Amino acid sequence: MQPELTPYDALFLDLDGTVIDIAPTPAGVTIPEDLAAHLDQLVRHLGGALAILTGRPIEDVDRLLAPMVPVAAGVHGAELRSVPHGEVASLAAPIDAGIVHAVQRVAEAHAGVLIELKRASIAVHYRQKPALALPLEAALARILDDGPDHLLLAHGRQVLEIVPRQVSKGAALEAIMCLPTFAGRRPIMIGDDVPDLSAFEAAIRFGGKGLKVAGEQFSQAEADFARPAEVRGWLAAMAVRNSQS
């Protein structure tokens, strides 16, 4: 059941697979022209309590949602912007160059694999070659076995990502909920993938809820939204309804 959005809520949104459709590559996504306008209306309705929680760097958030420059946690919480148009704080050290080079060598050995460098993490996309999931996972696990122990291998929608162990979307949601604009509100987190699970759990700890988008992680039967287009429709409806109240 999709909830009504009240002025006492705080809204947290994943991007890819949640409000924008999955594309063959991260750079190939299409942004509906009215998405930023609806989100901006909701920012005003919620008194500023809207944040983006994404695996993308925050600079990608700003490019995709322009002219918005929202509160955001990027790279699964390794980056944080606490106020709109504010500075972006780095909460994790850059990935060691030796790890980057080792991952690049793995990718070069498998045609169709895409590497995405994000300073504090490195993502290996195999959407164009899904049969490579297990060999890539084994190769990346070997790299981490020989590397520093502050990194781990995370799974996503046809992507494997080396990320700092101490960061998560759940930790990012908790940090944002402590900000004056968000404190005391009911958090609603919408996401579609494994990294969003920690944010669902954090939202529930703050008296809120997590809403699932169907896809590769959640079935239609267990999801609250059938697809990103349905999330966008809900956001548009909430924006219009609350602009009239």
Side-chain angles (χ1 to χ4, degrees):
M1 179 89 179
Q2 298 163 10
E4 290 292 312
L5 199 59
T6 78
Y8 308 103
D9 292 328
L11 184 60
F12 295 84
L13 299 169
D14 172 50
L15 284 182
D16 296 85
T18 296
V19 297
I20 59 179
D21 296 298
I22 293 290
T25 66
V29 296
T30 299
I31 307 301
E33 62 181 20
D34 57 356
L35 176 60
H38 289 148
L39 292 178
D40 193 50
Q41 285 179 282
L42 290 174
V43 169
R44 292 195 295 273
H45 170 63
L46 296 170
L50 183 150
I52 304 297
L53 305 185
T54 177
R56 288 179 178 267
I58 289 178
E59 65 180 3
D60 278 9
V61 175
D62 297 345
R63 175 175 56 82
L64 295 173
L65 299 183
M68 286 188 71
V69 187
V71 173
V75 195
H76 307 290
E79 298 177 349
L80 180 65
R81 179 166 58 212
S82 300
V83 295
H85 298 273
E87 295 293 323
V88 175
S90 294
L91 305 182
I95 293 287
D96 181 80
I99 298 290
V100 173
H101 293 153
V103 173
Q104 288 173 330
R105 287 194 295 272
V106 168
E108 289 165 0
H110 299 89
V113 172
L114 174 67
I115 294 287
E116 187 182 9
L117 299 175
K118 308 181 190 178
R119 184 180 179 276
S121 80
I122 180 168
V124 180
H125 297 269
Y126 56 89
R127 181 165 297 277
Q128 298 180 48
K129 292 292 182 71
L132 293 176
L134 291 179
L136 286 173
E137 181 175 4
L140 296 175
R142 285 194 295 270
I143 291 171
L144 291 185
D145 285 343
D146 297 332
D149 61 5
H150 71 281
L151 300 173
L152 58 78
L153 187 60
H155 296 73
R157 291 181 67 158
Q158 296 187 319
V159 61
L160 295 161
E161 188 162 359
I162 294 174
V163 297
R165 191 178 297 275
Q166 81 275 15
V167 304
S168 70
K169 288 187 178 182
L173 188 148
E174 290 184 355
I176 292 171
M177 282 298 297
C178 293
L179 300 173
T181 301
F182 291 78
R185 292 173 176 266
R186 178 185 71 157
I188 297 174
M189 170 68 194
I190 308 180
D192 75 302
D193 204 358
V194 175
D196 300 312
L197 295 176
S198 65
F200 292 161
E201 294 167 357
I204 292 169
R205 287 196 295 273
F206 278 87
K209 61 178 61 181
L211 302 179
K212 302 171 182 176
V213 184
E216 294 165 20
Q217 175 64 24
F218 305 119
S219 68
Q220 293 286 344
E222 65 182 325
D224 302 278
F225 297 94
R227 59 189 62 84
E230 193 169 295
V231 178
R232 295 193 298 269
W234 178 79
L235 293 170
M238 293 298 101
V240 170
R241 186 173 306 168
N242 290 300
S243 69
Q244 297 171 345
S245 59

